[in-house]
C-alpha cells in the first residue's frame, strides 16, 4: 500500500518541538512519511533522519500583516507536496495552515497545544482568540486536544462540536532517554557538587511563574542552606527575574541556563522539580520529570491535575502560593519515604499514559480513520 503522507506545520518551538521530534520518529515509517514546515526556531538536525522534506519559514509568535504572505507560501507548498493529511501544531500555525488549505483535497488536523483564550489577558482578547478558533474550526476535520481540560475548555467556549475533538495526551520517548549518555557533572554545569537542587524547566514568562519560583527559593534557602536553584530556559522576563534574584541575595545560589536544546542535561540533577504554571494545556515537562524519577511540586491549574494527583505521584499547590510551594519543597527534602512513594507511582503512570509509542499508535489510528 502507498504510504500516508503527513505534512506537519508548526510555529511555536519549545515543548511543541520536543513533542514533534518524538512523534515523527515513532510513527511507523513503513506506513507513513512525514514532511515538516516550521519556523526558524526549529533545527533541521533534530529532524533530518525522520522527515522526507524540511522547510523553514520566518513565522513569528506575534500576529502581523506578514502572516498573509506565509498563508500563500504554505498553500503553495501544500499544493506541491500533495499530502494526505495536514497536521497543524499550535495556534499561529493552526490559523495559517487552515486558511492556506481551503479548498484543497486533503484532510486537516489541528492541535492547539493549549488554547490561546486560556492565557491570562483581557476578556476582549480572550473573546477575540475564541472567535478566531471558532471560525477556523470549520476549516479542519479534527481537533486534537492534549488533555481533558483542554477539551472541556473548547466545549465551554463553543469552539466546535464534541464529535470533532479527539483527546490524545502528549508523550515522551522513554527509550531514547534510557540510551542517552551524559558525561557532564554538576560542576561542569555550574552546580555545586553537594547541592540540594531545586529546578524548573520552562520559558521565563508570566505563564510559568518564575517570580513565584524565586520567592519560594528565598524561603527554602533559609531552611536548607545547601539548596541551589536552576531555571532551564529563557524568555521575556529574564532581566526582571535576574533582578529579583539579586534583590533576594540569591546570586550565588542560582543558575539560569538560557535557551537549552536538551533540558535533561540539567534537569537530571534536580532533587525537586517544579512547575508553577498559571495556566497549562499539558505540561510536557511533567512527563520528563516523571521519567527522571524526580519528585514534583506543581500548581493545581488547568490540565495539571489531569496528569498528576496530589499525594499520589506529586505534590500540588495553589496558583501563586509561594509559601505553600516552599513548604512542599522542604517536605520532600525531609522525607525520603515520601519521595520514593511519589516517584514510583509517577513512573508507573508515565509508562501507562505518556509513552510516545502509545501516543504515536493513537495518532496512526486517527490518520488512517480520516482518509478511509
Amino acid at each position: 500500500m502507498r504510504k500516508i503522507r503527513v505534512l506537519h506545520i508548526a510555529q511555536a518551538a519549545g515543548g511543541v518541538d520536543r513533542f514533534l521530534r518524538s512523534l515523527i520518529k515513532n510513527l511507523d515509517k513503513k506506513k507513513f512519511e512525514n514532511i515538516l514546515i516550521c519556523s526558524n526556531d526549529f533545527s533541521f538536525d533534530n529532524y533530518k533522519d525522520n522527515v522526507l522534506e524540511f522547510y523553514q519559514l520566518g513565522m513569528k509568535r506575534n500576529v502581523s500583516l506578514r502572516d498573509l504572505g506565509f498563508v500563500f507560501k504554505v498553500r503553495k507548498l501544500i499544493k506541491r507536496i500533495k499530502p494526505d493529511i495536514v497536521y497543524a501544531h499550535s495556534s499561529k500555525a493552526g490559523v495559517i495552515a487552515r486558511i492556506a488549505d481551503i479548498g484543497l483535497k486533503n484532510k486537516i488536523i489541528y492541535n492547539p497545544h493549549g488554547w490561546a483564550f486560556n492565557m491570562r489577558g483581557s476578556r476582549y482578547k480572550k473573546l477575540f482568540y475564541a472567535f478566531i478558533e471558532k471560525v477556523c474550526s470549520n476549516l479542519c476535520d479534527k481537533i486534537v486536544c492534549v488533555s481533558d481540560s483542554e477539551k472541556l475548555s473548547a466545549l465551554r467556549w463553543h469552539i466546535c462540536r464534541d464529535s470533532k475533538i479527539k483527546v490524545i495526551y502528549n508523550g515522551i520517548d522513554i527509550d531514547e532517554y534510557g540510551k542517552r549518555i551524559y558525561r557532564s557533572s554538576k560542576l561542569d554545569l555550574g552546580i555545586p557538587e553537594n547541592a540540594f537542587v531545586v529546578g524548573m524547566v520552562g520559558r521565563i514568562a508570566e505563564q510559568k511563574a518564575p517570580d513565584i519560583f524565586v520567592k519560594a527559593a528565598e524561603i527554602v534557602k533559609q531552611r536548607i542552606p545547601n539548596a541551589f536553584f536552576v531555571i532551564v530556559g529563557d524568555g521575556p522576563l529574564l532581566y526582571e527575574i535576574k533582578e529579583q534574584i539579586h534583590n533576594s541575595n540569591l546570586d550565588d545560589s542560582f543558575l539560569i541556563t538560557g535557551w537549552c536544546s536538551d533540558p535533561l542535561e540539567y534537569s537530571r540533577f534536580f532533587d525537586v522539580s517544579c512547575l508553577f504554571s498559571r495556566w497549562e494545556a499539558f505540561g510536557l515537562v511533567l512527563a520528563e520529570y516523571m521519567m527522571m524519577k524526580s519528585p514534583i511540586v506543581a500548581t493545581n491549574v488547568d490540565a495539571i491535575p489531569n496528569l498528576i494527583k496530589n499525594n499520589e505521584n506529586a505534590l500540588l499547590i495553589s496558583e501563586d502560593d509561594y509559601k505553600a510551594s516552599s513548604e512542599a519543597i522542604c517536605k520532600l527534602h525531609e522525607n525520603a519515604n515520601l519521595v520514593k512513594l511519589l516517584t514510583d507511582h509517577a513512573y508507573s503512570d508515565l509508562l501507562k499514559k505518556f509513552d510516545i509509542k502509545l501516543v504515536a499508535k493513537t495518532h496512526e489510528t486517527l490518520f488512517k480513520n480520516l482518509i478511509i
Side-chain angles (χ1 to χ4, degrees), residues 18 197-217 228-234 237 241 245 254-258 260 263-264 266-267 269-278 280 285 288-289 292 294-295 297-298 329:
R18 299 204 302 279
V197 184
V198 182
M200 63 167 274
V201 175
R203 292 186 75 238
I204 304 178
E206 182 187 10
Q207 178 195 3
K208 304 298 183 180
D211 54 316
I212 299 301
F213 183 74
V214 178
K215 286 183 178 181
F228 190 85
F229 308 94
V230 179
I231 297 178
V232 182
D234 197 355
L237 298 182
I241 294 303
I245 291 168
F254 235 103
L255 171 66
I256 297 180
T257 69
C260 182
L264 292 173
Y266 291 89
S267 56
F269 290 121
F270 290 179
D271 294 295
V272 175
S273 298
C274 302
L275 183 66
F276 296 159
S277 299
R278 292 174 168 120
E280 193 65 67
V285 72
E288 293 174 344
Y289 292 161
M292 296 181 300
S294 176
V297 179
I329 292 167

Short mmCIF file of all heavy atoms in Angstrom, two decimals, residues 18 197-217 228-234 237 241 245 254-258 260 263-264 266-267 269-278 280 285 288-289 292 294-295 297-298 329:
data_model
loop_
_atom_site.label_atom_id
_atom_site.label_comp_id
_atom_site.label_asym_id
_atom_site.label_seq_id
_atom_site.Cartn_x
_atom_site.Cartn_y
_atom_site.Cartn_z
N ARG A 18 9.82 19.51 21.00
CA ARG A 18 10.23 18.24 21.62
C ARG A 18 9.20 17.14 21.36
O ARG A 18 9.56 15.99 21.09
CB ARG A 18 10.45 18.43 23.13
CG ARG A 18 11.54 19.45 23.46
CD ARG A 18 12.16 19.22 24.82
NE ARG A 18 11.22 19.24 25.93
CZ ARG A 18 10.76 20.34 26.51
NH1 ARG A 18 11.12 21.54 26.05
NH2 ARG A 18 9.93 20.28 27.55
N VAL A 197 19.36 20.33 44.77
CA VAL A 197 19.00 21.09 43.58
C VAL A 197 17.48 21.15 43.38
O VAL A 197 16.81 20.11 43.28
CB VAL A 197 19.65 20.51 42.32
CG1 VAL A 197 19.35 21.39 41.10
CG2 VAL A 197 21.16 20.37 42.51
N VAL A 198 16.96 22.36 43.36
CA VAL A 198 15.54 22.61 43.09
C VAL A 198 15.46 23.31 41.74
O VAL A 198 16.09 24.36 41.54
CB VAL A 198 14.90 23.48 44.18
CG1 VAL A 198 13.42 23.69 43.90
CG2 VAL A 198 15.11 22.86 45.56
N GLY A 199 14.72 22.74 40.80
CA GLY A 199 14.74 23.32 39.46
C GLY A 199 13.40 23.40 38.79
O GLY A 199 12.42 22.79 39.22
N MET A 200 13.37 24.20 37.74
CA MET A 200 12.21 24.29 36.87
C MET A 200 12.68 24.41 35.43
O MET A 200 13.73 25.01 35.15
CB MET A 200 11.30 25.48 37.22
CG MET A 200 11.94 26.85 37.06
SD MET A 200 10.73 28.21 37.11
CE MET A 200 10.20 28.28 35.37
N VAL A 201 11.94 23.80 34.52
CA VAL A 201 12.20 23.90 33.09
C VAL A 201 11.03 24.63 32.47
O VAL A 201 9.87 24.24 32.65
CB VAL A 201 12.35 22.51 32.44
CG1 VAL A 201 12.51 22.64 30.93
CG2 VAL A 201 13.53 21.76 33.05
N GLY A 202 11.32 25.72 31.75
CA GLY A 202 10.23 26.45 31.11
C GLY A 202 10.64 27.86 30.72
O GLY A 202 11.67 28.37 31.18
N ARG A 203 9.84 28.47 29.87
CA ARG A 203 10.10 29.85 29.45
C ARG A 203 10.02 30.78 30.66
O ARG A 203 9.18 30.61 31.55
CB ARG A 203 9.09 30.32 28.40
CG ARG A 203 9.22 29.63 27.06
CD ARG A 203 8.28 30.25 26.03
NE ARG A 203 8.77 31.54 25.57
CZ ARG A 203 8.10 32.68 25.66
NH1 ARG A 203 6.92 32.72 26.23
NH2 ARG A 203 8.61 33.80 25.20
N ILE A 204 10.91 31.75 30.67
CA ILE A 204 10.89 32.75 31.74
C ILE A 204 9.87 33.80 31.32
O ILE A 204 10.19 34.88 30.83
CB ILE A 204 12.30 33.34 31.95
CG1 ILE A 204 13.29 32.22 32.23
CG2 ILE A 204 12.29 34.32 33.13
CD1 ILE A 204 14.72 32.68 32.41
N ALA A 205 8.61 33.41 31.52
CA ALA A 205 7.48 34.22 31.09
C ALA A 205 6.38 34.10 32.13
O ALA A 205 6.40 33.23 33.00
CB ALA A 205 6.98 33.75 29.73
N GLU A 206 5.38 34.98 32.04
CA GLU A 206 4.32 35.04 33.04
C GLU A 206 3.66 33.68 33.26
O GLU A 206 3.36 33.30 34.40
CB GLU A 206 3.27 36.06 32.63
CG GLU A 206 2.14 36.21 33.64
CD GLU A 206 1.01 37.10 33.15
OE1 GLU A 206 1.00 37.46 31.97
OE2 GLU A 206 0.13 37.40 33.98
N GLN A 207 3.43 32.93 32.18
CA GLN A 207 2.74 31.65 32.30
C GLN A 207 3.41 30.72 33.30
O GLN A 207 2.74 30.08 34.12
CB GLN A 207 2.67 30.96 30.94
CG GLN A 207 1.99 29.59 31.02
CD GLN A 207 2.21 28.73 29.80
OE1 GLN A 207 2.93 29.11 28.87
NE2 GLN A 207 1.60 27.57 29.77
N LYS A 208 4.73 30.64 33.27
CA LYS A 208 5.47 29.67 34.09
C LYS A 208 5.78 30.18 35.49
O LYS A 208 6.39 29.47 36.29
CB LYS A 208 6.77 29.28 33.39
CG LYS A 208 6.57 28.72 31.98
CD LYS A 208 5.75 27.43 31.96
CE LYS A 208 5.63 26.86 30.55
NZ LYS A 208 4.84 25.63 30.49
N ALA A 209 5.41 31.41 35.80
CA ALA A 209 5.55 31.99 37.14
C ALA A 209 6.97 31.87 37.70
O ALA A 209 7.15 31.41 38.84
CB ALA A 209 4.55 31.35 38.09
N PRO A 210 7.99 32.32 36.99
CA PRO A 210 9.35 32.27 37.55
C PRO A 210 9.50 33.16 38.78
O PRO A 210 10.35 32.89 39.64
CB PRO A 210 10.21 32.76 36.38
CG PRO A 210 9.29 33.58 35.54
CD PRO A 210 7.96 32.91 35.64
N ASP A 211 8.68 34.20 38.88
CA ASP A 211 8.72 35.07 40.06
C ASP A 211 8.32 34.32 41.32
O ASP A 211 8.91 34.52 42.40
CB ASP A 211 7.81 36.29 39.85
CG ASP A 211 6.38 35.90 39.49
OD1 ASP A 211 6.19 35.00 38.65
OD2 ASP A 211 5.44 36.51 40.04
N ILE A 212 7.35 33.42 41.21
CA ILE A 212 6.93 32.60 42.34
C ILE A 212 8.04 31.61 42.71
O ILE A 212 8.29 31.34 43.89
CB ILE A 212 5.62 31.87 42.02
CG1 ILE A 212 4.51 32.88 41.74
CG2 ILE A 212 5.22 30.94 43.16
CD1 ILE A 212 4.22 33.83 42.88
N PHE A 213 8.71 31.09 41.70
CA PHE A 213 9.83 30.17 41.94
C PHE A 213 10.91 30.86 42.77
O PHE A 213 11.46 30.28 43.72
CB PHE A 213 10.38 29.68 40.60
CG PHE A 213 11.49 28.67 40.73
CD1 PHE A 213 11.23 27.36 41.10
CD2 PHE A 213 12.81 29.04 40.47
CE1 PHE A 213 12.26 26.42 41.21
CE2 PHE A 213 13.84 28.12 40.58
CZ PHE A 213 13.56 26.80 40.95
N VAL A 214 11.23 32.10 42.43
CA VAL A 214 12.26 32.84 43.17
C VAL A 214 11.80 33.15 44.59
O VAL A 214 12.58 33.03 45.55
CB VAL A 214 12.66 34.13 42.42
CG1 VAL A 214 13.69 34.92 43.22
CG2 VAL A 214 13.22 33.80 41.03
N LYS A 215 10.54 33.54 44.74
CA LYS A 215 10.02 33.82 46.09
C LYS A 215 10.08 32.57 46.96
O LYS A 215 10.44 32.63 48.15
CB LYS A 215 8.58 34.33 46.00
CG LYS A 215 8.44 35.76 45.51
CD LYS A 215 6.97 36.19 45.52
CE LYS A 215 6.82 37.64 45.08
NZ LYS A 215 5.39 38.08 45.10
N ALA A 216 9.72 31.44 46.39
CA ALA A 216 9.79 30.18 47.15
C ALA A 216 11.24 29.84 47.46
O ALA A 216 11.55 29.37 48.57
CB ALA A 216 9.14 29.05 46.34
N ALA A 217 12.13 30.11 46.52
CA ALA A 217 13.55 29.82 46.72
C ALA A 217 14.12 30.60 47.90
O ALA A 217 14.94 30.07 48.67
CB ALA A 217 14.32 30.15 45.44
N PHE A 228 20.22 24.82 46.03
CA PHE A 228 20.68 25.53 44.84
C PHE A 228 19.55 25.46 43.82
O PHE A 228 18.91 24.42 43.66
CB PHE A 228 21.95 24.88 44.28
CG PHE A 228 22.62 25.69 43.20
CD1 PHE A 228 23.51 26.70 43.52
CD2 PHE A 228 22.35 25.44 41.86
CE1 PHE A 228 24.13 27.45 42.52
CE2 PHE A 228 22.96 26.18 40.85
CZ PHE A 228 23.85 27.18 41.19
N PHE A 229 19.32 26.56 43.11
CA PHE A 229 18.13 26.68 42.27
C PHE A 229 18.52 26.87 40.80
O PHE A 229 19.43 27.64 40.49
CB PHE A 229 17.27 27.84 42.76
CG PHE A 229 16.97 27.75 44.23
CD1 PHE A 229 17.79 28.40 45.16
CD2 PHE A 229 15.93 26.98 44.69
CE1 PHE A 229 17.56 28.30 46.51
CE2 PHE A 229 15.68 26.86 46.06
CZ PHE A 229 16.49 27.52 46.98
N VAL A 230 17.81 26.17 39.92
CA VAL A 230 18.12 26.19 38.50
C VAL A 230 16.85 26.46 37.69
O VAL A 230 15.82 25.81 37.92
CB VAL A 230 18.73 24.85 38.03
CG1 VAL A 230 19.03 24.90 36.53
CG2 VAL A 230 19.99 24.52 38.83
N ILE A 231 16.93 27.43 36.80
CA ILE A 231 15.88 27.65 35.80
C ILE A 231 16.47 27.31 34.44
O ILE A 231 17.45 27.94 34.00
CB ILE A 231 15.36 29.10 35.80
CG1 ILE A 231 14.71 29.45 37.14
CG2 ILE A 231 14.37 29.30 34.65
CD1 ILE A 231 14.22 30.89 37.22
N VAL A 232 15.90 26.30 33.79
CA VAL A 232 16.36 25.91 32.46
C VAL A 232 15.44 26.57 31.44
O VAL A 232 14.29 26.15 31.25
CB VAL A 232 16.33 24.38 32.29
CG1 VAL A 232 16.88 23.99 30.91
CG2 VAL A 232 17.15 23.70 33.38
N GLY A 233 15.93 27.62 30.81
CA GLY A 233 15.11 28.33 29.84
C GLY A 233 15.50 29.78 29.69
O GLY A 233 16.45 30.27 30.31
N ASP A 234 14.77 30.46 28.85
CA ASP A 234 14.97 31.87 28.54
C ASP A 234 13.59 32.47 28.32
O ASP A 234 12.60 31.75 28.26
CB ASP A 234 15.84 32.02 27.29
CG ASP A 234 16.45 33.40 27.14
OD1 ASP A 234 16.11 34.27 27.96
OD2 ASP A 234 17.23 33.60 26.21
N LEU A 237 10.94 37.69 30.53
CA LEU A 237 11.10 38.21 31.89
C LEU A 237 12.49 37.95 32.46
O LEU A 237 12.70 38.09 33.66
CB LEU A 237 10.04 37.60 32.83
CG LEU A 237 8.58 37.91 32.50
CD1 LEU A 237 7.67 37.27 33.54
CD2 LEU A 237 8.33 39.41 32.43
N ILE A 241 13.66 38.76 36.35
CA ILE A 241 13.92 37.64 37.26
C ILE A 241 15.35 37.70 37.80
O ILE A 241 15.59 37.44 38.99
CB ILE A 241 13.65 36.30 36.56
CG1 ILE A 241 12.16 36.17 36.23
CG2 ILE A 241 14.11 35.13 37.41
CD1 ILE A 241 11.23 36.29 37.41
N ILE A 245 16.29 37.91 41.73
CA ILE A 245 17.27 37.01 42.36
C ILE A 245 18.33 37.81 43.12
O ILE A 245 18.67 37.49 44.26
CB ILE A 245 17.92 36.11 41.29
CG1 ILE A 245 16.90 35.10 40.74
CG2 ILE A 245 19.14 35.38 41.86
CD1 ILE A 245 17.37 34.37 39.49
N PHE A 254 21.94 30.47 42.49
CA PHE A 254 21.01 30.41 41.36
C PHE A 254 21.75 30.26 40.04
O PHE A 254 22.81 30.85 39.84
CB PHE A 254 20.18 31.69 41.29
CG PHE A 254 18.69 31.44 41.31
CD1 PHE A 254 17.95 31.65 42.46
CD2 PHE A 254 18.03 31.00 40.17
CE1 PHE A 254 16.58 31.43 42.48
CE2 PHE A 254 16.67 30.78 40.19
CZ PHE A 254 15.94 31.00 41.35
N LEU A 255 21.17 29.46 39.14
CA LEU A 255 21.69 29.32 37.79
C LEU A 255 20.52 29.43 36.81
O LEU A 255 19.53 28.72 36.95
CB LEU A 255 22.38 27.95 37.61
CG LEU A 255 22.76 27.57 36.17
CD1 LEU A 255 23.86 28.51 35.64
CD2 LEU A 255 23.22 26.12 36.10
N ILE A 256 20.65 30.34 35.85
CA ILE A 256 19.72 30.42 34.74
C ILE A 256 20.49 30.00 33.50
O ILE A 256 21.47 30.64 33.12
CB ILE A 256 19.13 31.83 34.57
CG1 ILE A 256 18.32 32.22 35.81
CG2 ILE A 256 18.24 31.89 33.33
CD1 ILE A 256 17.71 33.61 35.75
N THR A 257 20.07 28.91 32.86
CA THR A 257 20.87 28.33 31.78
C THR A 257 20.72 29.08 30.46
O THR A 257 21.58 28.99 29.59
CB THR A 257 20.45 26.88 31.53
OG1 THR A 257 19.12 26.84 30.97
CG2 THR A 257 20.50 26.08 32.82
N GLY A 258 19.61 29.82 30.29
CA GLY A 258 19.30 30.34 28.97
C GLY A 258 18.67 29.24 28.13
O GLY A 258 18.41 28.12 28.62
N CYS A 260 18.05 26.13 25.98
CA CYS A 260 18.78 24.87 26.03
C CYS A 260 18.09 23.85 25.12
O CYS A 260 16.89 23.61 25.26
CB CYS A 260 18.83 24.36 27.47
SG CYS A 260 19.77 22.85 27.69
N PRO A 263 17.02 20.13 27.72
CA PRO A 263 16.86 20.47 29.15
C PRO A 263 17.26 19.36 30.10
O PRO A 263 17.65 19.61 31.24
CB PRO A 263 15.36 20.78 29.27
CG PRO A 263 14.93 21.15 27.88
CD PRO A 263 15.77 20.32 26.97
N LEU A 264 17.19 18.10 29.64
CA LEU A 264 17.53 16.98 30.51
C LEU A 264 19.00 17.01 30.94
O LEU A 264 19.36 16.40 31.95
CB LEU A 264 17.24 15.66 29.80
CG LEU A 264 15.76 15.35 29.55
CD1 LEU A 264 15.61 14.11 28.70
CD2 LEU A 264 15.01 15.17 30.85
N TYR A 266 20.41 19.32 32.33
CA TYR A 266 20.40 19.93 33.65
C TYR A 266 19.39 19.27 34.59
O TYR A 266 19.70 19.00 35.76
CB TYR A 266 20.04 21.42 33.54
CG TYR A 266 21.12 22.26 32.89
CD1 TYR A 266 21.15 22.43 31.50
CD2 TYR A 266 22.12 22.87 33.64
CE1 TYR A 266 22.13 23.19 30.90
CE2 TYR A 266 23.11 23.64 33.05
CZ TYR A 266 23.12 23.79 31.67
OH TYR A 266 24.10 24.54 31.08
N SER A 267 18.19 19.00 34.09
CA SER A 267 17.11 18.55 34.98
C SER A 267 17.35 17.15 35.55
O SER A 267 16.73 16.79 36.55
CB SER A 267 15.76 18.61 34.24
OG SER A 267 15.78 17.85 33.06
N PHE A 269 19.65 16.39 37.28
CA PHE A 269 20.25 16.60 38.59
C PHE A 269 19.27 17.20 39.61
O PHE A 269 19.63 17.43 40.75
CB PHE A 269 21.46 17.53 38.48
CG PHE A 269 22.65 16.91 37.79
CD1 PHE A 269 23.17 17.47 36.63
CD2 PHE A 269 23.24 15.76 38.29
CE1 PHE A 269 24.27 16.90 35.99
CE2 PHE A 269 24.34 15.18 37.66
CZ PHE A 269 24.85 15.75 36.51
N PHE A 270 18.01 17.42 39.19
CA PHE A 270 17.05 18.03 40.11
C PHE A 270 16.69 17.06 41.24
O PHE A 270 16.29 15.92 40.99
CB PHE A 270 15.76 18.41 39.37
CG PHE A 270 15.88 19.55 38.40
CD1 PHE A 270 14.76 19.96 37.67
CD2 PHE A 270 17.08 20.23 38.21
CE1 PHE A 270 14.85 21.01 36.77
CE2 PHE A 270 17.17 21.29 37.31
CZ PHE A 270 16.06 21.68 36.59
N ASP A 271 16.79 17.52 42.47
CA ASP A 271 16.28 16.76 43.61
C ASP A 271 14.79 17.02 43.81
O ASP A 271 14.08 16.16 44.34
CB ASP A 271 17.05 17.15 44.88
CG ASP A 271 18.51 16.72 44.81
OD1 ASP A 271 18.76 15.51 44.76
OD2 ASP A 271 19.39 17.61 44.77
N VAL A 272 14.33 18.19 43.41
CA VAL A 272 12.90 18.51 43.36
C VAL A 272 12.66 19.27 42.06
O VAL A 272 13.41 20.20 41.72
CB VAL A 272 12.45 19.38 44.56
CG1 VAL A 272 10.99 19.79 44.40
CG2 VAL A 272 12.64 18.63 45.87
N SER A 273 11.59 18.89 41.35
CA SER A 273 11.28 19.50 40.06
C SER A 273 9.97 20.28 40.16
O SER A 273 8.97 19.74 40.67
CB SER A 273 11.16 18.44 38.98
OG SER A 273 12.40 17.75 38.82
N CYS A 274 9.97 21.50 39.69
CA CYS A 274 8.83 22.40 39.88
C CYS A 274 8.19 22.82 38.56
O CYS A 274 8.89 22.99 37.54
CB CYS A 274 9.27 23.66 40.62
SG CYS A 274 10.00 23.33 42.24
N LEU A 275 6.88 22.99 38.61
CA LEU A 275 6.14 23.61 37.51
C LEU A 275 5.04 24.45 38.14
O LEU A 275 4.01 23.93 38.56
CB LEU A 275 5.53 22.55 36.57
CG LEU A 275 4.80 23.12 35.35
CD1 LEU A 275 5.78 23.82 34.40
CD2 LEU A 275 4.04 22.03 34.61
N PHE A 276 5.27 25.77 38.21
CA PHE A 276 4.35 26.67 38.90
C PHE A 276 3.47 27.45 37.92
O PHE A 276 3.12 28.60 38.16
CB PHE A 276 5.14 27.65 39.78
CG PHE A 276 5.90 26.99 40.90
CD1 PHE A 276 6.98 27.63 41.50
CD2 PHE A 276 5.55 25.73 41.37
CE1 PHE A 276 7.67 27.04 42.55
CE2 PHE A 276 6.24 25.13 42.41
CZ PHE A 276 7.30 25.78 43.00
N SER A 277 3.09 26.81 36.83
CA SER A 277 2.33 27.47 35.77
C SER A 277 1.04 28.09 36.28
O SER A 277 0.36 27.55 37.15
CB SER A 277 1.99 26.47 34.66
OG SER A 277 3.15 25.93 34.09
N ARG A 278 0.70 29.24 35.67
CA ARG A 278 -0.57 29.90 35.95
C ARG A 278 -1.67 29.40 35.02
O ARG A 278 -2.85 29.54 35.31
CB ARG A 278 -0.39 31.41 35.83
CG ARG A 278 0.52 31.97 36.93
CD ARG A 278 0.82 33.44 36.76
NE ARG A 278 1.44 33.98 37.95
CZ ARG A 278 2.65 34.54 37.99
NH1 ARG A 278 3.38 34.64 36.87
NH2 ARG A 278 3.14 35.02 39.12
N GLU A 280 -1.93 25.98 31.92
CA GLU A 280 -1.13 24.92 31.30
C GLU A 280 -2.03 23.96 30.54
O GLU A 280 -2.93 23.35 31.11
CB GLU A 280 -0.35 24.16 32.38
CG GLU A 280 0.73 23.26 31.84
CD GLU A 280 1.84 24.05 31.15
OE1 GLU A 280 2.57 24.79 31.84
OE2 GLU A 280 1.95 23.91 29.92
N VAL A 285 6.85 18.86 30.31
CA VAL A 285 7.98 18.71 31.24
C VAL A 285 7.60 17.85 32.44
O VAL A 285 8.46 17.21 33.04
CB VAL A 285 8.49 20.10 31.69
CG1 VAL A 285 7.51 20.76 32.65
CG2 VAL A 285 9.86 19.99 32.34
N GLU A 288 8.59 14.47 31.65
CA GLU A 288 10.05 14.35 31.72
C GLU A 288 10.51 14.23 33.18
O GLU A 288 11.40 13.44 33.49
CB GLU A 288 10.70 15.54 31.04
CG GLU A 288 10.45 15.56 29.53
CD GLU A 288 10.97 16.82 28.86
OE1 GLU A 288 11.25 17.80 29.57
OE2 GLU A 288 11.07 16.82 27.61
N TYR A 289 9.90 14.99 34.07
CA TYR A 289 10.21 14.87 35.49
C TYR A 289 9.89 13.46 35.99
O TYR A 289 10.64 12.86 36.76
CB TYR A 289 9.39 15.88 36.31
CG TYR A 289 9.72 17.35 36.12
CD1 TYR A 289 8.81 18.32 36.51
CD2 TYR A 289 10.93 17.77 35.58
CE1 TYR A 289 9.08 19.68 36.37
CE2 TYR A 289 11.21 19.12 35.43
CZ TYR A 289 10.29 20.07 35.82
OH TYR A 289 10.56 21.41 35.68
N MET A 292 12.48 10.94 34.99
CA MET A 292 13.72 11.03 35.75
C MET A 292 13.56 10.61 37.21
O MET A 292 14.52 10.62 37.97
CB MET A 292 14.25 12.46 35.69
CG MET A 292 14.64 12.92 34.32
SD MET A 292 15.29 14.61 34.34
CE MET A 292 13.88 15.51 34.98
N SER A 294 12.07 12.22 39.51
CA SER A 294 12.30 13.39 40.35
C SER A 294 10.96 13.81 40.96
O SER A 294 9.97 13.93 40.23
CB SER A 294 12.87 14.54 39.52
OG SER A 294 13.02 15.71 40.29
N PRO A 295 10.88 14.02 42.27
CA PRO A 295 9.61 14.41 42.89
C PRO A 295 9.15 15.77 42.38
O PRO A 295 9.96 16.67 42.18
CB PRO A 295 9.92 14.44 44.38
CG PRO A 295 11.39 14.67 44.46
CD PRO A 295 11.97 13.96 43.26
N VAL A 297 6.65 19.24 42.38
CA VAL A 297 5.77 20.21 43.02
C VAL A 297 5.19 21.07 41.90
O VAL A 297 5.95 21.68 41.14
CB VAL A 297 6.51 21.10 44.04
CG1 VAL A 297 5.54 22.10 44.66
CG2 VAL A 297 7.16 20.26 45.12
N ALA A 298 3.87 21.08 41.78
CA ALA A 298 3.25 21.79 40.66
C ALA A 298 1.95 22.45 41.10
O ALA A 298 1.38 22.11 42.14
CB ALA A 298 2.98 20.82 39.50
N ILE A 329 8.49 21.86 48.96
CA ILE A 329 9.88 21.55 48.64
C ILE A 329 10.61 21.05 49.89
O ILE A 329 11.33 20.04 49.85
CB ILE A 329 10.58 22.78 48.04
CG1 ILE A 329 10.00 23.11 46.66
CG2 ILE A 329 12.09 22.55 47.93
CD1 ILE A 329 10.39 24.48 46.13
#
